[in-house]
Amino acid sequence: MQFNVQDMTCGHCVAAITKAVENAFPQAKVSINLEQHQVTVDNVDDTLAVQKVIEEEGYTPVAA
């Protein structure tokens, strides 16, 4: 699944989102392209649950 996260602007943002998703879903494979503001999460099927985890970190994910 992919999300556009326009308010993700720095390395800290990347680390925070990666850590939050991996803590919530240990099987998740998280890839982030900071320049394009894209977060890709593999090995997880629940898009809404992943979106909620990212939102709880203070970001605004939009499913792509």
Side-chain angles (χ1 to χ4, degrees), residues 1-2 21 25 27-31 39-45:
M1 70 187 71
Q2 272 194 335
V21 172
F25 306 97
Q27 77 279 15
K29 182 178 178 195
V30 181
S31 318
V39 176
T40 303
V41 179
D42 294 319
N43 298 334
V44 180
D45 293 332

Side-chain angles (χ1 to χ4, degrees), residues 32-64:
I32 296 181
N33 183 320
L34 183 58
E35 285 184 8
Q36 295 183 1
H37 302 279
Q38 288 186 332
V39 176
T40 303
V41 179
D42 294 319
N43 298 334
V44 180
D45 293 332
D46 193 340
T47 302
L48 291 177
V50 174
Q51 187 170 351
K52 183 177 178 184
V53 167
I54 296 171
E55 287 172 350
E56 287 173 352
E57 283 300 304
Y59 300 96
T60 312
V62 177

